[in-house]
Amino acid sequence: MSLRTALSRSLAAPPVQRVAAPRAARSRTAVALLGLLLLAPMAGPGAALAAPAPSPSGSTSAPAPDASAGARWAVQPSSAKGPTGRNYFIYDLSPGDTLTDHVGVSNLSDRPLAFEVYGTDAYTTTDGAFALLPAAQTATDVGSWVQFEQRRWTVEPGRRADIPFRLTVPANATPGDHAGGVIGSIAQARTTQDGQRVLVDQRLAARIYLRVAGEVQPAVTVESVTVAYDNPINPLGGGDAVVTYTLRNSGNIRVAGTGAVTLAGPFGWELARTDPVELPELLPGATFTVTERITGVPPALRLTAEVDVRATTVDDPLPPVLRAAAVWAPPWLLLALVAALLGWFGVRWWRRRRARTTPGPTTGPTADSGPTASGDRPSGGGGA
């Protein structure tokens, strides 16, 4: 029995859903991953990351168009002689190693731009996006290992600055993957709709993927599985089963992969099997929650959902990770009909049994009965 599925991914962010009607071919829409700083190396204008200051009334006004809003720039891995064609900074180093590299910051505007250039740490957002720490948060990992001779740089219009930096891996750095980024940011003055002047910090970055030599321990854990079932009144119509599971990268290198769910009834009767869902790249320690909605599921008394996660590293696939959970799905209408039939048969049986055990009316004379109907007299005594 094949059932359509609807997919949503959620944690703190609203889910992005893949919806389908029962008994039609399976379909999937791309899951939109919302990222604060999913920044391509040659991206265009920076994205505003700082909200405008609230007005005296407490409301927040969006910045109005401003002459300074036309700034355009790009950030990419480079060298002392210019870009090298790399998409990201990718390194394999040992604790205590030091290297010098360059980041190219290009001014694509028609006026000089003043940049702040610095390193920071990366993390995986709750919806699976690669993101960098806010400007106000201090880096403690690979971002803190990146040092520039100076933080502020001015680049003339149409020019590129190939800025050197030194990356030093601490002697006590833990083995495995460390992710971050080199940021080029501009703080621009904007005017809000109510006339206030605010500073908006706009940032672009080139990612850093650094693997520290040592014991590599790839691992993915399915931390929890829950199943909810919307039991229909009409068992022939079927209900929706919602399966939610949380993944954690419990190893020390980044992983990706796929996840699928099998829904079964009693005795292993398979009711539905979802198409594999592409999982985002999870940095070490990151968690990600997947929610799958399977429509048209009959109330089969007991539903068991098994999650099958096939994770991969950048090098090799990992062994499958399986975990299951179950929920009761009683067919209430069918059970009510069965109960009614059993009650009806029970009443009929009771009535028949009572009729067999109840004595009927007696017939014929008894020992203490009076004279017979024929008028016979008792024997004895002579006549007159």
PDB file of all heavy atoms in Angstrom, residues 99-101 117-119 141-150 163-168:
ATOM      1  N   LEU A  99      50.078  29.469   8.974  1.00  0.00           N
ATOM      2  CA  LEU A  99      50.176  29.766   7.542  1.00  0.00           C
ATOM      3  C   LEU A  99      49.720  31.194   7.303  1.00  0.00           C
ATOM      4  O   LEU A  99      49.053  31.813   8.140  1.00  0.00           O
ATOM      5  CB  LEU A  99      49.350  28.788   6.705  1.00  0.00           C
ATOM      6  CG  LEU A  99      47.835  28.716   6.904  1.00  0.00           C
ATOM      7  CD1 LEU A  99      47.083  29.850   6.233  1.00  0.00           C
ATOM      8  CD2 LEU A  99      47.305  27.391   6.363  1.00  0.00           C
ATOM      9  N   THR A 100      50.113  31.719   6.128  1.00  0.00           N
ATOM     10  CA  THR A 100      49.687  33.045   5.690  1.00  0.00           C
ATOM     11  C   THR A 100      48.880  32.900   4.414  1.00  0.00           C
ATOM     12  O   THR A 100      49.276  32.176   3.493  1.00  0.00           O
ATOM     13  CB  THR A 100      50.882  33.972   5.452  1.00  0.00           C
ATOM     14  OG1 THR A 100      51.611  34.133   6.673  1.00  0.00           O
ATOM     15  CG2 THR A 100      50.430  35.335   4.952  1.00  0.00           C
ATOM     16  N   ASP A 101      47.732  33.558   4.372  1.00  0.00           N
ATOM     17  CA  ASP A 101      46.865  33.514   3.199  1.00  0.00           C
ATOM     18  C   ASP A 101      46.333  34.910   2.946  1.00  0.00           C
ATOM     19  O   ASP A 101      46.664  35.864   3.684  1.00  0.00           O
ATOM     20  CB  ASP A 101      45.717  32.518   3.414  1.00  0.00           C
ATOM     21  CG  ASP A 101      45.229  31.912   2.103  1.00  0.00           C
ATOM     22  OD1 ASP A 101      45.438  32.536   1.049  1.00  0.00           O
ATOM     23  OD2 ASP A 101      44.621  30.822   2.136  1.00  0.00           O
ATOM     24  N   VAL A 117      37.659  44.097   8.238  1.00  0.00           N
ATOM     25  CA  VAL A 117      37.961  42.732   7.803  1.00  0.00           C
ATOM     26  C   VAL A 117      38.425  41.948   9.029  1.00  0.00           C
ATOM     27  O   VAL A 117      39.360  42.365   9.733  1.00  0.00           O
ATOM     28  CB  VAL A 117      39.043  42.722   6.704  1.00  0.00           C
ATOM     29  CG1 VAL A 117      39.282  41.304   6.210  1.00  0.00           C
ATOM     30  CG2 VAL A 117      38.627  43.635   5.547  1.00  0.00           C
ATOM     31  N   TYR A 118      37.784  40.797   9.263  1.00  0.00           N
ATOM     32  CA  TYR A 118      38.106  40.005  10.458  1.00  0.00           C
ATOM     33  C   TYR A 118      37.588  38.579  10.281  1.00  0.00           C
ATOM     34  O   TYR A 118      36.788  38.285   9.368  1.00  0.00           O
ATOM     35  CB  TYR A 118      37.505  40.639  11.714  1.00  0.00           C
ATOM     36  CG  TYR A 118      36.006  40.797  11.672  1.00  0.00           C
ATOM     37  CD1 TYR A 118      35.155  39.837  12.233  1.00  0.00           C
ATOM     38  CD2 TYR A 118      35.424  41.912  11.069  1.00  0.00           C
ATOM     39  CE1 TYR A 118      33.781  39.985  12.192  1.00  0.00           C
ATOM     40  CE2 TYR A 118      34.050  42.070  11.030  1.00  0.00           C
ATOM     41  CZ  TYR A 118      33.230  41.110  11.594  1.00  0.00           C
ATOM     42  OH  TYR A 118      31.857  41.259  11.542  1.00  0.00           O
ATOM     43  N   GLY A 119      38.031  37.687  11.148  1.00  0.00           N
ATOM     44  CA  GLY A 119      37.572  36.298  11.124  1.00  0.00           C
ATOM     45  C   GLY A 119      36.551  36.040  12.216  1.00  0.00           C
ATOM     46  O   GLY A 119      36.525  36.717  13.244  1.00  0.00           O
ATOM     47  N   ASP A 141      36.725  29.950  18.268  1.00  0.00           N
ATOM     48  CA  ASP A 141      37.282  28.792  17.559  1.00  0.00           C
ATOM     49  C   ASP A 141      38.142  29.295  16.410  1.00  0.00           C
ATOM     50  O   ASP A 141      38.978  30.186  16.603  1.00  0.00           O
ATOM     51  CB  ASP A 141      36.147  27.869  17.099  1.00  0.00           C
ATOM     52  CG  ASP A 141      36.619  26.481  16.724  1.00  0.00           C
ATOM     53  OD1 ASP A 141      37.114  25.753  17.610  1.00  0.00           O
ATOM     54  OD2 ASP A 141      36.503  26.125  15.534  1.00  0.00           O
ATOM     55  N   VAL A 142      37.935  28.771  15.210  1.00  0.00           N
ATOM     56  CA  VAL A 142      38.829  29.082  14.099  1.00  0.00           C
ATOM     57  C   VAL A 142      38.831  30.575  13.781  1.00  0.00           C
ATOM     58  O   VAL A 142      39.843  31.114  13.314  1.00  0.00           O
ATOM     59  CB  VAL A 142      38.428  28.247  12.857  1.00  0.00           C
ATOM     60  CG1 VAL A 142      37.070  28.668  12.317  1.00  0.00           C
ATOM     61  CG2 VAL A 142      39.486  28.342  11.765  1.00  0.00           C
ATOM     62  N   GLY A 143      37.724  31.269  14.032  1.00  0.00           N
ATOM     63  CA  GLY A 143      37.707  32.711  13.781  1.00  0.00           C
ATOM     64  C   GLY A 143      38.700  33.464  14.627  1.00  0.00           C
ATOM     65  O   GLY A 143      39.260  34.483  14.192  1.00  0.00           O
ATOM     66  N   SER A 144      38.942  32.964  15.838  1.00  0.00           N
ATOM     67  CA  SER A 144      39.924  33.616  16.711  1.00  0.00           C
ATOM     68  C   SER A 144      41.349  33.254  16.338  1.00  0.00           C
ATOM     69  O   SER A 144      42.297  33.868  16.843  1.00  0.00           O
ATOM     70  CB  SER A 144      39.653  33.237  18.168  1.00  0.00           C
ATOM     71  OG  SER A 144      39.876  31.846  18.381  1.00  0.00           O
ATOM     72  N   TRP A 145      41.522  32.255  15.476  1.00  0.00           N
ATOM     73  CA  TRP A 145      42.865  31.872  15.045  1.00  0.00           C
ATOM     74  C   TRP A 145      43.345  32.718  13.863  1.00  0.00           C
ATOM     75  O   TRP A 145      44.498  32.594  13.440  1.00  0.00           O
ATOM     76  CB  TRP A 145      42.893  30.398  14.652  1.00  0.00           C
ATOM     77  CG  TRP A 145      42.372  29.459  15.709  1.00  0.00           C
ATOM     78  CD1 TRP A 145      42.136  29.762  17.016  1.00  0.00           C
ATOM     79  CD2 TRP A 145      42.016  28.092  15.536  1.00  0.00           C
ATOM     80  NE1 TRP A 145      41.651  28.662  17.681  1.00  0.00           N
ATOM     81  CE2 TRP A 145      41.562  27.609  16.801  1.00  0.00           C
ATOM     82  CE3 TRP A 145      42.032  27.209  14.457  1.00  0.00           C
ATOM     83  CZ2 TRP A 145      41.138  26.296  16.992  1.00  0.00           C
ATOM     84  CZ3 TRP A 145      41.604  25.900  14.646  1.00  0.00           C
ATOM     85  CH2 TRP A 145      41.170  25.449  15.908  1.00  0.00           C
ATOM     86  N   VAL A 146      42.433  33.519  13.285  1.00  0.00           N
ATOM     87  CA  VAL A 146      42.743  34.370  12.135  1.00  0.00           C
ATOM     88  C   VAL A 146      43.110  35.766  12.631  1.00  0.00           C
ATOM     89  O   VAL A 146      42.342  36.393  13.365  1.00  0.00           O
ATOM     90  CB  VAL A 146      41.543  34.448  11.174  1.00  0.00           C
ATOM     91  CG1 VAL A 146      41.827  35.435  10.043  1.00  0.00           C
ATOM     92  CG2 VAL A 146      41.227  33.069  10.611  1.00  0.00           C
ATOM     93  N   GLN A 147      44.273  36.255  12.240  1.00  0.00           N
ATOM     94  CA  GLN A 147      44.746  37.560  12.687  1.00  0.00           C
ATOM     95  C   GLN A 147      45.152  38.404  11.476  1.00  0.00           C
ATOM     96  O   GLN A 147      45.873  37.935  10.590  1.00  0.00           O
ATOM     97  CB  GLN A 147      45.938  37.408  13.637  1.00  0.00           C
ATOM     98  CG  GLN A 147      45.637  36.628  14.902  1.00  0.00           C
ATOM     99  CD  GLN A 147      44.614  37.327  15.782  1.00  0.00           C
ATOM    100  OE1 GLN A 147      44.587  38.564  15.842  1.00  0.00           O
ATOM    101  NE2 GLN A 147      43.776  36.561  16.476  1.00  0.00           N
ATOM    102  N   PHE A 148      44.677  39.661  11.467  1.00  0.00           N
ATOM    103  CA  PHE A 148      45.053  40.634  10.438  1.00  0.00           C
ATOM    104  C   PHE A 148      45.982  41.683  11.050  1.00  0.00           C
ATOM    105  O   PHE A 148      45.880  41.993  12.242  1.00  0.00           O
ATOM    106  CB  PHE A 148      43.811  41.324   9.859  1.00  0.00           C
ATOM    107  CG  PHE A 148      42.982  40.440   8.976  1.00  0.00           C
ATOM    108  CD1 PHE A 148      41.986  39.627   9.516  1.00  0.00           C
ATOM    109  CD2 PHE A 148      43.188  40.413   7.609  1.00  0.00           C
ATOM    110  CE1 PHE A 148      41.213  38.814   8.705  1.00  0.00           C
ATOM    111  CE2 PHE A 148      42.420  39.603   6.786  1.00  0.00           C
ATOM    112  CZ  PHE A 148      41.431  38.797   7.338  1.00  0.00           C
ATOM    113  N   GLU A 149      46.860  42.248  10.229  1.00  0.00           N
ATOM    114  CA  GLU A 149      47.720  43.322  10.707  1.00  0.00           C
ATOM    115  C   GLU A 149      46.898  44.539  11.091  1.00  0.00           C
ATOM    116  O   GLU A 149      47.243  45.271  12.023  1.00  0.00           O
ATOM    117  CB  GLU A 149      48.747  43.689   9.631  1.00  0.00           C
ATOM    118  CG  GLU A 149      49.773  42.597   9.373  1.00  0.00           C
ATOM    119  CD  GLU A 149      50.817  43.040   8.369  1.00  0.00           C
ATOM    120  OE1 GLU A 149      50.730  44.205   7.882  1.00  0.00           O
ATOM    121  OE2 GLU A 149      51.725  42.247   8.060  1.00  0.00           O
ATOM    122  N   GLN A 150      45.837  44.789  10.353  1.00  0.00           N
ATOM    123  CA  GLN A 150      44.932  45.883  10.703  1.00  0.00           C
ATOM    124  C   GLN A 150      43.516  45.456  10.356  1.00  0.00           C
ATOM    125  O   GLN A 150      43.288  44.627   9.467  1.00  0.00           O
ATOM    126  CB  GLN A 150      45.309  47.172   9.963  1.00  0.00           C
ATOM    127  CG  GLN A 150      45.202  47.061   8.446  1.00  0.00           C
ATOM    128  CD  GLN A 150      45.719  48.298   7.750  1.00  0.00           C
ATOM    129  OE1 GLN A 150      46.882  48.656   7.920  1.00  0.00           O
ATOM    130  NE2 GLN A 150      44.869  48.966   6.985  1.00  0.00           N
ATOM    131  N   ILE A 163      44.257  41.227   0.938  1.00  0.00           N
ATOM    132  CA  ILE A 163      44.667  41.516   2.308  1.00  0.00           C
ATOM    133  C   ILE A 163      45.240  40.250   2.945  1.00  0.00           C
ATOM    134  O   ILE A 163      44.563  39.212   3.000  1.00  0.00           O
ATOM    135  CB  ILE A 163      43.471  42.030   3.117  1.00  0.00           C
ATOM    136  CG1 ILE A 163      42.877  43.270   2.425  1.00  0.00           C
ATOM    137  CG2 ILE A 163      43.855  42.339   4.555  1.00  0.00           C
ATOM    138  CD1 ILE A 163      41.565  43.719   3.024  1.00  0.00           C
ATOM    139  N   PRO A 164      46.468  40.298   3.441  1.00  0.00           N
ATOM    140  CA  PRO A 164      47.052  39.095   4.062  1.00  0.00           C
ATOM    141  C   PRO A 164      46.531  38.901   5.484  1.00  0.00           C
ATOM    142  O   PRO A 164      46.176  39.851   6.182  1.00  0.00           O
ATOM    143  CB  PRO A 164      48.553  39.403   4.068  1.00  0.00           C
ATOM    144  CG  PRO A 164      48.627  40.895   4.127  1.00  0.00           C
ATOM    145  CD  PRO A 164      47.430  41.412   3.375  1.00  0.00           C
ATOM    146  N   PHE A 165      46.504  37.638   5.891  1.00  0.00           N
ATOM    147  CA  PHE A 165      46.184  37.301   7.282  1.00  0.00           C
ATOM    148  C   PHE A 165      46.989  36.074   7.680  1.00  0.00           C
ATOM    149  O   PHE A 165      47.446  35.302   6.829  1.00  0.00           O
ATOM    150  CB  PHE A 165      44.683  37.069   7.482  1.00  0.00           C
ATOM    151  CG  PHE A 165      44.117  35.891   6.728  1.00  0.00           C
ATOM    152  CD1 PHE A 165      44.130  34.607   7.270  1.00  0.00           C
ATOM    153  CD2 PHE A 165      43.552  36.067   5.461  1.00  0.00           C
ATOM    154  CE1 PHE A 165      43.600  33.527   6.576  1.00  0.00           C
ATOM    155  CE2 PHE A 165      43.018  34.985   4.762  1.00  0.00           C
ATOM    156  CZ  PHE A 165      43.041  33.717   5.315  1.00  0.00           C
ATOM    157  N   ARG A 166      47.155  35.898   8.976  1.00  0.00           N
ATOM    158  CA  ARG A 166      47.884  34.747   9.503  1.00  0.00           C
ATOM    159  C   ARG A 166      46.913  33.873  10.273  1.00  0.00           C
ATOM    160  O   ARG A 166      46.127  34.368  11.087  1.00  0.00           O
ATOM    161  CB  ARG A 166      49.016  35.199  10.412  1.00  0.00           C
ATOM    162  CG  ARG A 166      49.856  34.044  10.990  1.00  0.00           C
ATOM    163  CD  ARG A 166      50.966  34.605  11.863  1.00  0.00           C
ATOM    164  NE  ARG A 166      51.882  35.432  11.081  1.00  0.00           N
ATOM    165  CZ  ARG A 166      52.915  34.952  10.398  1.00  0.00           C
ATOM    166  NH1 ARG A 166      53.174  33.656  10.411  1.00  0.00           N
ATOM    167  NH2 ARG A 166      53.703  35.766   9.722  1.00  0.00           N
ATOM    168  N   LEU A 167      46.970  32.575   9.989  1.00  0.00           N
ATOM    169  CA  LEU A 167      46.137  31.605  10.699  1.00  0.00           C
ATOM    170  C   LEU A 167      47.055  30.687  11.499  1.00  0.00           C
ATOM    171  O   LEU A 167      47.909  30.008  10.920  1.00  0.00           O
ATOM    172  CB  LEU A 167      45.275  30.792   9.733  1.00  0.00           C
ATOM    173  CG  LEU A 167      44.158  29.938  10.327  1.00  0.00           C
ATOM    174  CD1 LEU A 167      43.052  29.696   9.299  1.00  0.00           C
ATOM    175  CD2 LEU A 167      44.665  28.588  10.831  1.00  0.00           C
ATOM    176  N   THR A 168      46.871  30.676  12.816  1.00  0.00           N
ATOM    177  CA  THR A 168      47.688  29.860  13.703  1.00  0.00           C
ATOM    178  C   THR A 168      46.797  28.889  14.465  1.00  0.00           C
ATOM    179  O   THR A 168      45.869  29.306  15.174  1.00  0.00           O
ATOM    180  CB  THR A 168      48.455  30.736  14.713  1.00  0.00           C
ATOM    181  OG1 THR A 168      49.268  31.661  13.997  1.00  0.00           O
ATOM    182  CG2 THR A 168      49.318  29.882  15.613  1.00  0.00           C
TER     183      THR A 168
END
